[in-house]
Amino acid sequence: PLNESTITQASTLDRREFLKATCGFLLALTLENAGTGRAIAQVAGPTSVTAFIRIGVDESITILVGGGEMGQGIYTGLSMAAAEELKVPWANVKVAPLDASLSWLSAGSGGIRSRLPTFLKAGAAAREMLISAAAQTWGANRTLCLAANGAVSYTDPATSITSTLTYGQLAATAATLPVPTAPPLTPATAYTIIGTPAARPDLPPKTNGTAKYGLDAVVDGMALAIVIHAPTMGGSLNTTPNAPANASAVVALYPASAYPITATTTALPNAIALVSWLPNTTTWTLIEAAKDIGGGIWNAAPNAALLDSTVFKSQAMSLLGRGTPLIAETKGSVDTAFASAARVMEMIYTLPYLPHACMEVLNCTVRMTPAVAPFTACEIWAPTQAPNSVLTTAANVTGLPKTAITVYPLLMGGGLGRKIEQDYIAQAIATAMAIGRPVKLTWPREQDMTRDQYRPMAVTRIQIALDAANNITGWKNRHVSPSISAQRRTTPLTAADNNATEGATALPYNIPNRLVDYVQHMSPIPVGYWRSVGYAINCFAVESAVDEVALAIGVDPLVLRRQLLSTSTDPLAARTLAVLNAAALAAGWETTTVPTGRARGIAVGQAFGTIVAEVAEIGVTKNASGVVTNFTVYKVACAVDCGTAVNPNSVEAQMQGGIFHGLSAAKWGELKWTMGKASVSNFNKYRMTRLSEAPVITTTIVNSGAAMSGTGEPGVPPIAPAVANAYAKLTGIRVRNLPFFPGATMGG
């Protein structure tokens, strides 16, 4: 059974066992300068380092990786880098999470690209130390010692006798040697692990049920708790109710930003934790018990009537014309281009709020020591993208120094940006402090969806100036949306929110005169980082607009994009063109004819340094009146340039996952507000792509040799415009307002 001694690891290494003296060698490298560090034979406790390689006396090789693993494959990719330089067979490598104090944020598709140099140097440094240990043991010429397959060998030139020592045999000696500051790295042309399709060590436990997710956490003597928020966004708790039957306590909870709670705190509680430590309690029994809590305990939001999707859209449309813009990008003279234009086109695109809808709801397990104040220590088990931020949150809520706080990052059943946030962490800590015992706090699905940090709604207006020869000479893009950045700062924005405009600026196309600006929508609905953040919103608008121009001037959409890229001096133009052509070739855009009743659409975009093009082939379903009720995506040809693909299997998987994610959002994804209440509270009203609806996806990896970039998010943005462009070609209807089919449920 799962208990606190086994929930702290994501593969096979027990973190408590890690601190025992079975470690023959541990290499620790600082993140700031991966060429410095130390080696230790006996681990006394955590140190301020961020990358570890553990070599056991039993020949085990374990790579400890920071950041959160949510299926994006960072455990595998970074371990592959270390194993490459360490010269050990990939099949022999184990992976485990790094201590939270040494960890980092997993976001922005940066899990591998930002940490790869550290892990390459870690592997190289360990290899060099092991070689030195072998040379010292034999009294041999170090330059004649060779590391390979987890061992060091030496052939005596006088006798031709070859000696071999395994890494496990050398570990103790290697640990006494200085860490090289600049170990030699393997040339990329000599890689044998990086760039190969590698099996992921985290997949077997995920498929056989032994993987440890946040919801699997069990701590001795813990209570269970569920969160119940005010029924309207912005509402507050008026009276803390008594615990109903089948529950033990009710704890008032404040917004995370209100902690630490002091005598001068002005914030009101906005949620309660319903807690039980009764025998046979389950999360479900607490959900049922919550039905006995009356509704009179809540204060409605004072402005609830204004928390309405119709109001939000009306405000945004008004801001398109009357808002005060912040300039995100300007190039050339758009005024001159539009004044001399032979033709001007204008399109407005809208996108709704979207929940993250992770498969694993928010949860967190906390144990305070002692159980009641004054506390001396805090332990936290959490599925989190930001282990180090959890430390900060815990210190803020408890008042303890970070050295008294231990965080055990667990696998996430989906993160998608939501598990960067700290609200559920603060609630669990506050609950444990209040009840005097450990607690596992869970957000029921209804709370998870109705109290999310949503992808912002957005309204984008694109205006395009064409000259007499149908060349695009001017481009204006005004983006209106709530600001993720502004909700996380105490002073007003003085520059355009990059989270809102990414994907609208720095287009690779040859458009000589451009203006991109941003107007903040002051909606109070909390917004956050949704997979691909602003790129998906802006790629839909930009790539739909490019197709609309192609249709208007009678040019094939692929040909127009080629013209705009081949004549561009933008640094990304050539790479973008190569990816675009690869996707078109894979789809047979110019070489095959689509079946009757189908059409193809194409789109290309860049996100977090990675370029992705997608071609979608669709067919529509109509009712008896001839109205389109659905469309089927039969095929998606995807091409991706992420510089270097560390693990091609992971790159392909991330493209597939991004396409599924983006497709569901484009077709059905929507969350509306009425009187401060969300329209969606569970998957029954939040339509997702079923397995039977899955398109055939082919992925072409274009290894450009450019700087490495991420793949967790860039597959999402192009699919919405690709299907919109195919839909327009097939039906003659241009969809500018997502989703395609609002109000859909899992029943249809």
Side-chain angles (χ1 to χ4, degrees):
L2 184 63
N3 54 47
E4 62 185 283
S5 67
T6 59
I7 60 179
T8 58
Q9 46 84 28
S11 56
T12 58
L13 177 65
D14 188 309
R15 293 170 59 88
R16 295 179 185 272
E17 291 299 314
F18 168 69
L19 297 180
K20 294 183 178 179
T22 57
C23 178
F25 174 89
L26 181 90
L27 179 68
L29 297 179
T30 65
L31 176 64
E32 294 74 22
N33 183 355
T36 64
R38 64 194 185 98
I40 45 182
Q42 305 287 323
V43 183
T47 55
S48 57
V49 293
T50 57
F52 291 106
I53 294 175
R54 179 179 183 263
I55 301 174
V57 294
D58 61 351
E59 305 298 339
S60 62
I61 305 292
T62 303
I63 314 299
L64 288 91
V65 180
E69 176 60 71
M70 49 191 154
Q72 80 277 41
I74 62 169
Y75 278 12
T76 303
L78 293 177
S79 297
M80 289 173 70
E84 182 75 67
E85 292 292 353
L86 191 56
K87 306 306 176 188
V88 294
W90 175 245
N92 295 355
V93 173
K94 300 178 182 179
V95 187
L98 188 62
D99 187 271
S101 64
L102 319 175
S103 194
W104 54 81
L105 172 68
S106 292
S109 296
I112 294 177
R113 63 186 168 96
S114 64
R115 310 293 171 178
L116 195 76
T118 297
F119 281 81
L120 287 170
K121 290 182 180 180
R127 179 197 69 228
E128 294 302 299
M129 295 165 71
L130 290 159
I131 291 174
S132 295
Q136 178 177 302
T137 300
W138 292 317
N141 183 341
R142 188 187 183 285
T143 61
L144 299 180
C145 298
L146 176 68
N149 296 317
V152 179
S153 61
Y154 164 72
T155 301
D156 189 322
T159 64
S160 298
I161 296 174
T162 299
S163 303
T164 301
L165 288 171
T166 66
Y167 283 179
Q169 292 170 320
L170 293 168
T173 302
T176 67
L177 303 178
V179 179
T181 57
L185 299 178
T186 303
T189 54
Y191 285 162
T192 60
I193 296 177
I194 292 176
T196 63
R200 286 177 48 171
D202 59 322
L203 289 187
K206 287 178 176 177
T207 53
N208 66 24
T210 61
K212 315 309 178 195
Y213 292 87
L215 284 171
D216 294 319
V218 175
V219 174
D220 293 342
M222 75 179 188
L224 297 180
I226 63 168
V227 169
I228 306 169
H229 290 89
T232 59
M233 186 65 71
S236 60
L237 183 66
N238 179 41
T239 304
T240 303
N242 295 323
N246 298 322
S248 305
V250 175
V251 178
L253 298 172
Y254 290 80
S257 58
Y259 292 96
I261 305 301
T262 66
T264 60
T265 298
T266 58
L268 297 174
N270 70 337
I272 58 173
L274 182 60
V275 188
S276 177
W277 50 82
L278 300 174
N280 301 317
T281 294
T282 65
T283 300
W284 180 250
T285 61
L286 281 173
I287 291 173
E288 290 294 295
K291 296 177 181 179
D292 294 330
I293 297 177
I297 64 172
W298 303 106
N299 297 315
N303 59 343
L306 298 178
L307 302 181
D308 186 282
S309 290
T310 302
V311 173
F312 295 151
K313 185 171 182 179
S314 176
Q315 292 169 340
M317 295 298 291
S318 177
L319 289 170
L320 278 178
R322 297 190 299 104
T324 301
L326 295 168
I327 305 301
E329 179 186 59
T330 182
K331 178 182 178 182
S333 174
V334 292
D335 290 340
T336 300
F338 277 83
S340 60
R343 180 178 183 179
V344 173
M345 298 177 64
E346 178 175 307
M347 295 78 76
I348 295 175
Y349 304 93
T350 69
L351 298 94
Y353 285 107
L354 289 181
H356 289 82
C358 299
M359 288 295 99
E360 180 192 31
V361 294
L362 298 175
N363 66 92
C364 181
T365 300
V366 177
R367 175 168 59 195
M368 304 300 301
T369 303
V372 296
F375 305 111
T376 60
C378 173
E379 294 174 280
I380 301 167
W381 293 260
T384 175
Q385 292 177 242
N388 200 267
S389 295
V390 174
L391 279 175
T392 301
T393 297
N396 196 38
V397 176
T398 65
L400 293 171
K402 289 185 179 180
T403 53
I405 300 164
T406 303
V407 178
Y408 304 105
L410 300 179
L411 291 175
M412 289 170 275
L416 309 175
R418 180 59 176 98
K419 288 169 185 169
I420 295 172
E421 312 295 352
Q422 298 296 300
D423 44 1
Y424 65 110
I425 304 293
Q427 289 174 338
I429 297 168
T431 302
M433 293 172 66
I435 66 173
R437 63 179 66 215
V439 67
K440 176 162 71 176
L441 178 139
T442 301
W443 285 36
R445 176 65 63 189
E446 290 73 13
Q447 301 295 318
D448 195 85
M449 280 194 166
T450 60
R451 282 299 177 276
D452 205 344
Q453 311 257 337
Y454 301 92
R455 189 189 81 173
M457 59 156 288
V459 174
T460 293
R461 181 183 66 203
I462 295 181
Q463 297 166 301
I464 300 172
L466 301 169
D467 64 14
N470 287 328
N471 296 307
I472 300 177
T473 57
W475 180 285
K476 294 180 183 178
N477 185 338
R478 173 160 293 181
H479 179 101
V480 178
S481 69
S483 170
I484 298 172
S485 298
Q487 289 194 6
R488 286 156 174 76
R489 54 187 288 169
T490 57
T491 57
L493 291 178
T494 57
D497 184 352
N498 181 63
N499 291 308
T501 60
E502 57 190 6
T505 59
L507 299 180
Y509 295 131
N510 180 15
I511 302 174
N513 306 291
R514 297 200 301 254
L515 172 65
V516 180
D517 58 31
Y518 168 71
V519 178
Q520 182 182 352
H521 187 293
M522 302 300 288
S523 166
I525 302 300
V527 291
Y529 307 99
W530 191 93
R531 189 177 187 179
S532 76
V533 201
Y535 287 108
I537 294 172
N538 292 306
C539 188
F540 172 68
V542 168
E543 287 297 289
S544 293
V546 171
D547 245 63
E548 294 205 48
V549 171
L551 179 64
I553 65 177
V555 175
D556 181 276
L558 174 61
V559 171
L560 177 59
R561 287 177 173 83
R562 281 175 174 163
Q563 293 171 347
L564 292 171
L565 291 168
S566 62
T567 58
S568 174
T569 59
D570 186 271
L572 290 180
R575 290 177 60 198
T576 304
L577 180 58
V579 173
L580 184 76
N581 285 334
L585 179 64
W589 184 279
E590 297 172 303
T591 58
T592 63
T593 302
V594 295
T596 302
R598 298 188 190 182
R600 294 187 185 120
I602 193 168
V604 64
Q606 181 271 140
F608 304 106
T610 291
I611 303 164
V612 178
E614 292 167 7
V615 176
E617 182 177 313
I618 75 167
V620 299
T621 301
K622 298 181 180 180
N623 62 18
S625 302
V627 176
V628 176
T629 57
N630 198 355
F631 64 77
T632 298
V633 181
Y634 292 99
K635 300 177 182 178
V636 177
C638 172
V640 53
D641 176 2
C642 58
T644 299
V646 174
N647 184 359
N649 285 353
S650 286
V651 173
E652 182 177 16
Q654 290 307 300
M655 292 302 107
Q656 293 170 342
I659 289 167
F660 279 115
H661 196 177
L663 180 59
S664 291
K667 292 183 74 173
W668 304 295
E670 181 181 41
L671 187 140
K672 291 184 175 181
W673 296 92
T674 304
M675 291 295 293
K677 294 185 178 181
S679 62
V680 174
S681 61
N682 213 317
F683 284 111
N684 62 327
K685 293 186 178 180
Y686 197 68
R687 180 80 156 84
M688 306 289 281
T689 302
R690 296 182 175 91
L691 185 60
S692 61
E693 299 168 319
V696 175
I697 300 174
T698 58
T699 300
T700 303
I701 298 175
V702 180
N703 280 311
S704 65
M708 182 176 298
S709 48
T711 59
E713 298 168 271
V716 176
I719 191 63
V723 297
N725 296 336
Y727 190 88
K729 185 184 298 184
L730 186 60
T731 67
I733 301 170
R734 172 59 62 176
V735 174
R736 296 175 178 165
N737 306 311
L738 293 182
F740 279 82
F741 307 108
T745 68
M746 285 305 291

